[in-house]
């Protein structure tokens, strides 16, 4: 099993700008699409909860562009779990252009999501559903712990 969930996408003309390269907002759309396809394939019970009252609020979304892509480039959008708390999930995305036997990393992204429940006028944080936790386990990235910082104190003007 690969350490990431993969969503494949073939870029269309409608996703490009007048210059011919992919318009930046599409990278963020593909993050959402990748996440949705993951739920459909690996956590369909969560989709039932979403139809009920579970809400997945995107708190933060970012993308770093490394190379341009154009119409008919084939992409592999690779999603990994970076962080999982009681109520939030953070994903990392690699956008890889596939050409013959070659793979080029063309962008990197991240997305932080909060689980919420309740009516729109009274939505509150909720625990990440157990089915989603279980589905995400194989895609967890081991992130080394942050190194402690040493703070220097200035004493007597030194």
């Amino acid at each position: 099993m690969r350490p990431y969930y993969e969503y494949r996408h073939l870029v269309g003309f409608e996703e490009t700008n007048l210059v011919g390269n992919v318009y930046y907002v599409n990278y963020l759309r593909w993050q959402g699409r990748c996440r949705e396809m993951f739920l459909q394939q690996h956590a369909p019970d969560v989709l039932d909860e979403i139809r009920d009252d579970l809400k997945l609020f995107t708190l933060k979304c970012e993308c770093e562009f490394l190379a341009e892509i154009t119409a008919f480039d084939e992409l592999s959008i690779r999603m990994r779990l970076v962080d999982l708390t009681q109520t939030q999930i953070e994903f990392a995305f690699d956008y890889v252009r596939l050409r013959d036997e070659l793979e080029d990393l063309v962008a990197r992204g991240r997305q932080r999501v909060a689980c919420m429940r309740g009516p729109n006028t009274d939505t509150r944080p909720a625990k990440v559903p157990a089915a989603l936790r279980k589905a995400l386990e194989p895609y967890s990235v081991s992130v080394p712990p942050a190194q402690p910082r040493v703070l220097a104190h200035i004493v007597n003007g030194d």
Side-chain angles (χ1 to χ4, degrees), residues 28-47:
L28 303 180
R29 288 180 54 236
W30 298 333
Q31 283 184 17
R33 181 71 173 161
C34 184
R35 189 178 80 186
E36 291 167 6
M37 297 310 296
F38 173 82
L39 290 173
Q40 191 263 334
Q41 292 173 16
H42 295 285
D45 293 347
V46 175
L47 293 176

Side-chain angles (χ1 to χ4, degrees), residues 69-115:
I69 56 176
T70 59
F72 302 108
D73 278 341
E74 184 180 359
L75 295 178
S76 166
I77 294 100
R78 299 172 179 174
M79 182 181 81
R80 296 176 324 280
L81 173 67
V82 174
D83 187 36
L84 180 61
T85 68
Q86 291 291 316
T87 62
Q88 295 184 13
I89 308 164
E90 185 167 346
F91 300 103
F93 297 87
D94 288 335
Y95 300 79
V96 179
R97 179 177 32 215
L98 306 172
R99 286 188 185 160
D100 302 317
E101 300 297 316
L102 300 175
E103 294 187 349
D104 279 330
L105 181 65
V106 296
R108 281 190 214 111
R110 277 175 111 80
Q111 188 178 106
R112 189 152 193 95
V113 176
C115 292

Side-chain angles (χ1 to χ4, degrees), residues 121-140:
T121 57
D122 191 25
T123 305
R124 298 174 188 257
K127 287 189 176 186
V128 175
L132 183 52
R133 285 180 176 281
K134 184 174 169 82
L136 288 169
E137 280 177 10
Y139 305 103
S140 180

